């Protein structure tokens, strides 16, 4: 065997060994086990119902005076509230329907720094995802850093008309 031929064969063998080591080092069997992300308590997205939505009559903006409005729950925008365990924001108010079918309405802005709160249907609370404040179904603080309650508004449901009065 010629010297050149020998060196060529050695080079191929070394390359094969290096490649094999790399492949075994990179194999999936050495990868860490994928982390399974367990969903946390579902929150109800605060969607739907601006300040002038179809199906809304009255005032839902704190800056415009007394909160006093009605929602037509047969309208496309507000029909989600026909289902228990849902919520939406209309103007400055978050309106929720508990899993038991009761209506709740509180000011949407967290009293800590103003972030819109989410409704947690599982325990009928309102949670701020900014710094973690939690408010009970009457708007009172149960977990800070918020130190004052969300303003709660009265709700009256007219079952025949499928209409909800807030304020
Ligand atoms: S803004 Fe809600 S807890 Fe800070």
């Amino acid at each position: 065997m010629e010297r050149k031929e020998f060196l060529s064969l050695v080079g191929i063998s070394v390359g094969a060994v290096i490649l094999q080591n790399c492949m075994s080092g990179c194999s999936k069997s050495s990868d860490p086990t994928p982390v399974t992300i367990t969903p946390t308590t579902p929150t109800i997205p605060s969607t739907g119902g601006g300040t002038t939505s179809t199906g809304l009559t009255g005032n839902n903006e704190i800056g415009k005076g007394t909160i006093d409005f009605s929602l037509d729950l047969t309208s496309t925008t507000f029909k989600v509230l026909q289902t228990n365990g849902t919520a939406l924001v209309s103007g400055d108010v978050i309106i929720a329907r508990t899993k038991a079918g009761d209506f709740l309405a509180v000011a949407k802005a967290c009293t800590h720094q103003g972030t819109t709160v989410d409704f947690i249907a599982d325990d009928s609370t309102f949670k701020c995802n900014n710094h973690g404040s939690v408010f009970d179904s009457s708007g009172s603080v149960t977990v800070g850093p918020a130190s004052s309650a969300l303003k709660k508004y009265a709700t009256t449901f007219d079952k025949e008309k499928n209409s909800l009065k807030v304020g």
Side-chain angles (χ1 to χ4, degrees), residues 110 112-113 115 128 130-133 145:
C110 176
H112 180 228
Q113 288 181 358
T115 302
C128 177
N130 199 353
H131 308 106
S133 289

Side-chain angles (χ1 to χ4, degrees), residues 43-137:
T43 60
I44 305 300
S46 303
T47 57
T51 55
T52 57
S53 308
T54 303
L56 166 75
T57 53
N59 176 43
N60 62 3
E61 292 181 83
I62 292 169
K64 289 186 176 175
T66 304
I67 294 290
D68 185 7
F69 61 93
S70 293
L71 303 179
D72 176 0
L73 301 196
T74 65
S75 70
T76 305
T77 307
F78 301 114
K79 71 179 180 187
V80 66
L81 289 173
Q82 291 184 22
T83 305
N84 293 352
T86 59
L88 58 76
V89 167
S90 179
D92 293 327
V93 181
I94 180 167
I95 302 110
R97 191 163 194 176
T98 68
K99 286 186 166 180
D102 299 321
F103 289 98
L104 305 172
V106 297
K108 72 175 183 181
C110 176
T111 56
H112 180 228
Q113 288 181 358
T115 302
T116 297
V117 296
D118 290 316
F119 176 61
I120 312 297
D122 284 348
D123 58 3
S124 296
T125 58
F126 297 92
K127 183 175 182 186
C128 177
N129 284 319
N130 199 353
H131 308 106
S133 289
V134 179
F135 306 84
D136 67 16
S137 60

